Amino acid sequence: MARKFLYLVAFLIVLVIGGFMALNIWQREATEFAFVPRTEFVEQVALEQNAYEDPAMWYSRPGIGVSDPSRWQPAPRAEAPKPPSPLNPSTQVRAAPVPAAERAEQVAEIIPETPDFAVFFVHPTSYLPLGIKSDTQWNASLGDETAESRARLFLRGLASPFNAADEIWAPKYRQAAVGAFLTDKPEAQQAIDAAYRDVEQAFAYFTQSIDADQPIVLAGHSQGALHLLRLLQEKVIGTPLEARLAAVYPIGWPISVEHDLPALGIPACETAAQPGCIVSWSSFAEPADPSMLMRYYAASTGFDGELRGDSTILCTNPLTGQTGGSAPASDNLGTLVPDDAMETAELVANAVPARCGENGVLLIGDPPKLGSAVLPGNNYHVYDIPLFWRNLQEDVARRARAWQAAR
């Protein structure tokens, strides 16, 4: 089916969305038995100081060319829509196949007059071993072919909306295993900290490599979003880099308006043309039951050291670029739907609406038919970016232009 790509991404990402869902779906003991490593945590040997000078340490960076997964661009829309598909009965506009060499030109045509900016994207967990294996590690090894193949697939669907950038950098890192997000064992935090150190080192090379006055976009998803928020706190806010932030996109990670935003040091994006702010949302179809998410969220500690409790989650409406509010499906410029072979793709317009609920979750109306990987409670977290691919592409470019205009 044409939605094979989304099914695969959904199946994989569903395992890595922070663990707070799984702890409620299954008994804690069963969850740990299936996914949490039984081996001792092994402290990761620090990478060489110049490790990220090696192009092989990056999935995306300048010079990779058409094989760069983050540079993938769906073909232009066809002039005449085809009949509706099972995705949604709304009118659709489908993309036609196009040679990869022409895609960069298409981006320039779709989003003109965008200033040069650089993106640092941290991919979600692609290391998904079962903890029942005796040799399961707490952190992925560099060169793990399965994990790296999945990471490229993720980047193709999740980082590609940022392809109007002059530069996209997406590092390899010794990510924490999925089981690290399903337990409160001390080894779990050690594994997450170890993964962050690689990301931190990659970020340092990224900032040294780009132009000194170039605006920056930070983006990530799932485990990547967690590392991104830590980078923001420890390496950006209060430094000269802060003034260069065009926007930050930790999409899908619940951020408390009360207990997280003040500690992060930059505001939420209140308007569509506001630069230097945070964009994030967590998608649920209706009727929505976010109780599992909210139970974990309420018991978790915010960046200010206090329990998040029943505080409101940050909700940026991806169809308007504003905090809160609602927008009809007619404002959805394109949901990403690749073909069976994942070689060409189509953008399906008018697929879903978007409305921020009172608790901060993003409501997308009736459940779109994207497959069986939707989490309990009509949780569409795994589709956060593909559902709003085209709107996000424009949002990123718009904030880069706003950054330039403000300076």
Side-chain angles (χ1 to χ4, degrees):
M1 296 179 64
R3 294 176 295 281
K4 178 181 177 182
F5 176 76
L6 289 181
Y7 292 160
L8 180 57
V9 171
F11 172 75
L12 296 175
I13 299 180
V14 70
L15 299 177
V16 298
I17 60 172
F20 46 82
M21 294 299 177
L23 288 173
N24 288 281
I25 296 171
W26 300 291
Q27 298 256 340
R28 184 187 186 99
E29 294 81 3
T31 302
E32 293 196 2
F33 179 80
F35 296 109
V36 177
R38 288 164 172 71
T39 56
E40 293 184 2
F41 172 76
V42 176
E43 189 68 38
Q44 300 296 295
V45 176
L47 297 174
E48 296 291 335
Q49 188 174 1
N50 63 348
Y52 284 98
E53 292 181 10
D54 184 355
M57 287 293 290
W58 299 86
Y59 294 111
S60 299
R61 58 165 286 169
I64 292 180
V66 296
S67 63
D68 188 330
S70 301
R71 286 296 180 186
W72 180 73
Q73 167 68 27
R77 305 171 186 177
E79 294 183 0
K82 294 183 179 181
S85 80
L87 176 67
N88 192 287
S90 305
T91 301
Q92 298 177 38
V93 180
R94 300 178 183 270
V98 66
E102 297 179 15
R103 289 172 181 162
E105 296 180 5
Q106 292 173 2
V107 175
E109 293 175 359
I110 294 170
I111 306 178
E113 300 179 0
T114 300
D116 289 347
F117 64 98
V119 175
F120 185 79
F121 190 97
V122 188
H123 71 80
T125 308
S126 59
Y127 178 53
L128 312 172
L130 290 176
I132 57 177
K133 297 179 180 179
S134 61
D135 60 346
T136 299
Q137 305 175 59
W138 282 95
N139 290 85
S141 300
L142 293 173
D144 185 308
E145 292 184 4
T146 301
E148 293 194 0
S149 177
R150 288 170 181 160
R152 290 188 179 91
L153 180 64
F154 292 158
L155 289 166
R156 193 166 184 256
L158 303 178
S160 55
F162 299 87
N163 63 12
D166 182 56
E167 300 181 27
I168 304 177
W169 297 70
K172 297 179 181 180
Y173 66 103
R174 291 170 292 183
Q175 61 195 271
V178 61
F181 298 94
L182 305 176
T183 180
D184 57 4
K185 289 183 177 181
E187 293 92 336
Q189 189 59 52
Q190 289 176 303
I192 294 170
D193 289 343
Y196 171 75
R197 287 193 290 272
D198 283 2
V199 174
E200 179 185 34
Q201 188 170 340
F203 183 69
Y205 183 76
F206 160 78
T207 57
Q208 294 165 13
S209 300
I210 63 176
D211 291 343
D213 58 351
Q214 194 170 19
I216 296 170
V217 168
L218 304 180
H221 196 265
S222 293
Q223 179 174 169
L226 176 63
H227 298 315
L228 190 77
L229 292 170
R230 186 169 173 182
L231 275 179
L232 181 65
Q233 290 179 287
E234 297 183 3
K235 299 298 177 180
V236 178
I237 300 303
T239 76
L241 293 174
E242 181 177 355
R244 295 167 59 187
L245 278 180
V248 181
Y249 294 87
I251 296 172
W253 197 267
I255 298 173
S256 170
V257 173
E258 178 182 353
H259 297 291
D260 293 330
L261 271 179
L264 289 173
I266 62 174
C269 293
E270 297 291 339
T271 67
Q274 178 183 352
C277 52
I278 295 177
V279 170
S280 184
W281 65 82
S282 300
S283 306
F284 282 78
E286 298 177 83
D289 179 11
S291 58
M292 290 187 292
L293 168 64
M294 299 309 294
R295 280 197 297 271
Y296 171 86
Y297 174 80
S300 65
T301 302
F303 296 134
D304 65 354
E306 303 291 333
L307 288 179
R308 293 186 173 100
D310 60 358
S311 61
T312 301
I313 295 173
L314 171 62
C315 179
T316 311
N317 190 312
L319 298 185
T320 66
Q322 301 175 356
T323 299
S326 62
S330 58
D331 286 350
N332 192 322
L333 301 177
T335 296
L336 180 64
V337 184
D339 71 347
D340 287 343
M342 294 181 285
E343 294 177 352
T344 62
E346 59 187 8
L347 289 174
V348 182
N350 315 129
V352 294
R355 173 173 61 90
C356 289
E358 292 182 0
N359 57 2
V361 300
L362 183 72
L363 304 173
I364 60 171
D366 294 336
K369 297 178 181 179
L370 293 176
S372 60
V374 177
L375 292 171
N378 271 335
N379 186 341
Y380 273 69
H381 176 94
V382 296
Y383 302 102
D384 280 326
I385 290 177
L387 279 169
F388 307 104
W389 192 97
R390 184 69 177 87
N391 290 77
L392 178 56
Q393 187 185 48
E394 288 205 345
D395 188 274
V396 177
R398 185 171 55 243
R399 297 192 194 281
R401 290 193 296 268
W403 182 92
Q404 183 183 55
R407 286 155 180 78

